[in-house]
Amino acid sequence: EKELHAAAKFLHAKRCDALEHKDTQDGWHEWEAECVSAIVQEKMKEFKPDLVLTFDEGGVSGHPNHIGVAKGVKHWYEKRLSGRERASVDVYRLDTTGLMRKYIGLFDLPLSLASKHVAVQFSPFMAINGMMCHWSQFVWYRWLFVIFSRYVYVNTYTQLEKLP
């Protein structure tokens, strides 16, 4: 939890809450979409954001927790829309790419520019400093990730469709 708060401070987040829920413990299992959806609904009422960034259903790295979050947020969003509730929040999902594109770093930029929603960072130092906040997670292969991954330099997002 201390690492999470350190990362939030580094990113200048106004608020950071660590979620402790029995059904969303870290591990190599997918969280239930209905459970994640209920948690998202609760947090949406509390925070009232106008933007949500989440994973797509590939979970970027295929991690089951990431996939569970993606499905849970989508479930929450579609539930709101099926109730004909106007979506007052924009939801963007981080696009998962194939292995080749994932590790070509900034060279992925020309391919990514075809996307509607692109975020670019030309230096890996912000990612390195951010990972320093999560020191227990910064194992040797994450150094390679920070140097070679396109997600350090280029991120593309797909917006979930809104009601007309």
Side-chain angles (χ1 to χ4, degrees), residues 61-81:
S61 62
H63 195 294
N65 294 168
H66 298 177
I67 295 167
V69 168
K71 289 179 179 179
V73 171
K74 187 175 182 185
H75 182 269
W76 164 80
Y77 192 76
E78 288 175 345
K79 196 168 149 183
R80 287 176 53 100
L81 294 181

Side-chain angles (χ1 to χ4, degrees), residues 1 4 19 30 48 78 91 111 117 122 144 153 155:
E1 193 172 328
L4 174 67
L19 178 65
E30 190 174 312
K48 298 176 179 48
E78 288 175 345
V91 178
L111 299 170
H117 309 287
F122 290 103
L144 296 174
Y153 304 97
N155 288 297

Side-chain angles (χ1 to χ4, degrees), residues 96-112:
T96 299
T97 63
L99 195 60
M100 177 75 129
R101 282 187 66 191
K102 184 176 181 177
Y103 292 108
I104 62 172
L106 197 52
F107 294 108
D108 189 63
L109 183 60
L111 299 170
S112 296

Side-chain angles (χ1 to χ4, degrees), residues 8-9 16 18 67 76 81-83 94 102 113 119 122 134 140 158:
K9 184 177 179 182
C16 175
I67 295 167
W76 164 80
L81 294 181
S82 68
L94 179 60
K102 184 176 181 177
L113 290 176
F122 290 103
H134 291 287
W140 71 269
T158 301

Side-chain angles (χ1 to χ4, degrees), residues 85-152:
E85 188 175 335
R86 301 287 281 157
S88 59
V89 62
D90 291 320
V91 178
Y92 291 87
R93 295 162 40 121
L94 179 60
D95 298 328
T96 299
T97 63
L99 195 60
M100 177 75 129
R101 282 187 66 191
K102 184 176 181 177
Y103 292 108
I104 62 172
L106 197 52
F107 294 108
D108 189 63
L109 183 60
L111 299 170
S112 296
L113 290 176
S115 297
K116 277 177 101 171
H117 309 287
V118 182
V120 179
Q121 171 68 35
F122 290 103
S123 168
F125 295 113
M126 186 167 181
I128 290 169
N129 290 332
M131 282 302 297
M132 294 289 210
C133 295
H134 291 287
W135 191 253
S136 69
Q137 300 285 310
F138 210 1
V139 293
W140 71 269
Y141 57 86
R142 290 223 169 85
W143 280 97
L144 296 174
F145 181 87
V146 167
I147 294 167
F148 295 109
S149 175
R150 70 156 331 243
Y151 292 104
V152 169

